[in-house]
Amino acid sequence: MELRCKKVKDIVLENSASASVFFRYGIDYCNGNMSLEDLSGENSANIDEVLHDLENISHQGTPFYLWPLDLLLDYIIPQIRNRPHKMTQRSKR
């Protein structure tokens, strides 16, 4: 399946290094139920640039679903604290 049609969360599950690409472009990969193609109209990121970066990242590393829970939490918690999510922004209105 072409990357453009895959859901963001599935891309990250297959290759945890892709999370850094999504983070750099401000794409929410934690709740990534949309494909990159679906995001093209919703997100300001240029999807062709995102695809280019995704194709050039290393496929090394252990997928997130194989990480021990403590390591996963050590990774996720700073991500949440450092980046306001849409839910947080809505509640501040």
Side-chain angles (χ1 to χ4, degrees):
M1 178 184 287
E2 187 180 338
L3 273 179
R4 183 180 293 270
C5 299
K6 282 188 175 183
K7 290 184 179 182
V8 171
K9 69 177 183 178
D10 294 335
I11 295 170
V12 175
L13 283 173
E14 290 175 12
N15 183 2
S16 58
S18 63
S20 64
V21 173
F22 293 129
F23 183 76
R24 184 175 40 232
Y25 285 99
I27 296 172
D28 183 8
Y29 56 89
C30 295
N31 299 313
N33 285 321
M34 297 179 76
S35 70
L36 288 175
E37 197 167 64
D38 295 337
L39 288 172
S40 62
E42 185 176 298
N43 196 301
S44 61
N46 181 337
I47 299 305
D48 291 327
E49 288 178 21
V50 174
L51 285 169
H52 179 264
D53 288 354
L54 287 172
E55 290 167 357
N56 290 319
I57 60 172
S58 168
H59 285 275
Q60 299 174 4
T62 306
F64 282 141
Y65 65 88
L66 295 176
W67 285 21
L69 185 57
D70 59 339
L71 177 62
L72 188 60
L73 289 172
D74 286 344
Y75 178 77
I76 291 174
I77 290 172
Q79 301 291 328
I80 293 170
R81 286 185 180 150
N82 293 333
R83 180 170 176 251
H85 285 280
K86 290 178 184 176
M87 290 291 284
T88 311
Q89 293 170 345
R90 284 187 202 136
S91 64
K92 290 182 181 178
R93 289 183 189 174

